[in-house]
Amino acid sequence: MTTAPPVPPAPAVAATARVGPVPVGYIHGDNQPRNWLWSQRLALVDFERSRPAARVQDFVILATTQWADHPDRETAFLRSYGRELSDAERHALRCLTALDAVNCLAWGPDNGDAEVTARGRRTLDRLMREDQP
């Protein structure tokens, strides 16, 4: 019996092994507009996914939804955040969005969630386009 040679991973996925040091903290875990309450200030709700992790992980859903086609929203968010992301954070965010896309493509169909499945497809399509020369 012969085994097929391993298939090399896509560049975005292969890069996950090379993520540099990024700030770690306590993250919300589901940071998106449906979990924001606005009054005089922003308040977050729905903390069941909160945990210690790379802080940039809290930006994954925003990067794959709100920011994907609206770079002005990313700019405004980061202005309010108080700083731009470092190169290591941008690289980590890209890798984390690839992992999120795979998760969406596994979870969405199993749970009948077409919106999550579509998010996964859109994200992988965008990552593949960005890897083109």
Side-chain angles (χ1 to χ4, degrees):
M1 174 183 211
T2 59
T3 58
V7 177
V13 175
T16 60
R18 298 188 306 269
V19 174
V22 295
V24 174
Y26 204 71
I27 67 166
H28 180 271
D30 194 16
N31 187 21
Q32 58 183 313
R34 72 177 185 193
N35 291 323
W36 299 350
L37 297 177
W38 290 96
S39 181
Q40 296 292 334
R41 297 173 183 237
L42 172 66
L44 300 175
V45 297
D46 191 14
F47 283 88
E48 78 260 4
R49 294 183 185 171
S50 59
R51 66 195 177 280
R55 290 192 317 219
V56 72
Q57 191 165 352
D58 247 352
F59 302 153
V60 170
I61 296 174
L62 295 173
T64 60
T65 59
Q66 303 298 311
W67 300 351
D69 297 319
H70 302 280
D72 56 313
R73 293 178 184 174
E74 178 182 4
T75 300
F77 186 94
L78 292 174
R79 187 177 317 119
S80 296
Y81 185 60
R83 66 177 180 83
E84 290 292 320
L85 298 178
S86 69
D87 289 343
E89 288 171 311
R90 288 218 173 266
H91 180 68
L93 181 58
R94 180 175 167 75
C95 295
L96 289 165
T97 60
L99 293 173
D100 178 71
V102 172
N103 183 58
C104 288
L105 292 173
W107 188 91
D110 284 352
N111 292 278
D113 194 327
E115 185 177 331
V116 168
T117 303
R119 183 177 98 208
R121 286 190 180 122
R122 279 192 313 271
T123 300
L124 284 183
D125 287 346
R126 182 176 48 81
L127 290 170
M128 297 292 280
R129 280 192 312 273
E130 289 174 0
D131 281 339
Q132 299 294 322

